[in-house]
Amino acid sequence: QVQLVESGGGSVQAGGSLRLSCAVSGYTSCGYDMSWYRQGAGKEREFVSAIASAGGTSYADSVKGRFTISQDNAKTTVYLQMNNLKPEDTAMYYCKRTQRTWCFALLGDYWGQGTQVTVSS
């Protein structure tokens, strides 16, 4: 069973920083990509950042230069360091695991429950 548990959200003032964590469990020997998405109130869920199983990273234009995605050596925890936060970054942040090839009957996307980030001006 795959589980993703986000933590690290909270309330900060504009210009502040937060570091989100996503703990991954279940068949972690499989190669998988990890990503962060966010969904603001009344908005669609949008891509924030991703890190591929091989280590390549990508970012949404809106967070480039401010957010950094990383993972621990065991690839069981993914982080999102968020600096210079803006009110428009306010959202529920979700991590996602993408299993691109079959591994122990796993395939596709698996989501966490989310962690709330609120940035005040």
Side-chain angles (χ1 to χ4, degrees), residues 45-63:
R45 193 171 296 190
E46 65 176 0
F47 169 78
V48 175
S49 182
I51 185 165
S53 59
T57 59
S58 59
Y59 298 90
D61 287 342
S62 59
V63 307

Side-chain angles (χ1 to χ4, degrees), residues 21-120:
S21 299
C22 175
V24 184
S25 61
Y27 304 104
T28 55
S29 61
C30 300
Y32 47 84
D33 301 338
M34 293 295 301
S35 52
W36 286 95
Y37 283 73
R38 67 186 182 186
Q39 187 168 17
K43 299 181 181 179
E44 294 189 354
R45 193 171 296 190
E46 65 176 0
F47 169 78
V48 175
S49 182
I51 185 165
S53 59
T57 59
S58 59
Y59 298 90
D61 287 342
S62 59
V63 307
K64 277 181 183 177
R66 300 188 298 122
F67 291 11
T68 304
I69 191 170
S70 62
Q71 59 187 7
D72 65 353
N73 289 336
K75 298 184 178 180
T76 56
T77 304
V78 178
Y79 304 98
L80 186 68
Q81 177 66 45
M82 306 186 297
N83 297 329
N84 191 22
L85 283 161
K86 304 176 181 180
E88 52 263 42
D89 294 319
T90 295
M92 184 72 79
Y93 283 70
Y94 300 89
C95 66
K96 182 182 78 169
R97 168 177 169 173
T98 300
Q99 196 68 47
R100 298 191 182 278
T101 58
W102 283 105
C103 186
F104 293 107
L106 302 179
L107 185 71
D109 295 333
Y110 301 85
W111 292 88
Q113 294 299 306
T115 185
Q116 178 68 36
V117 171
T118 302
V119 185
S120 58

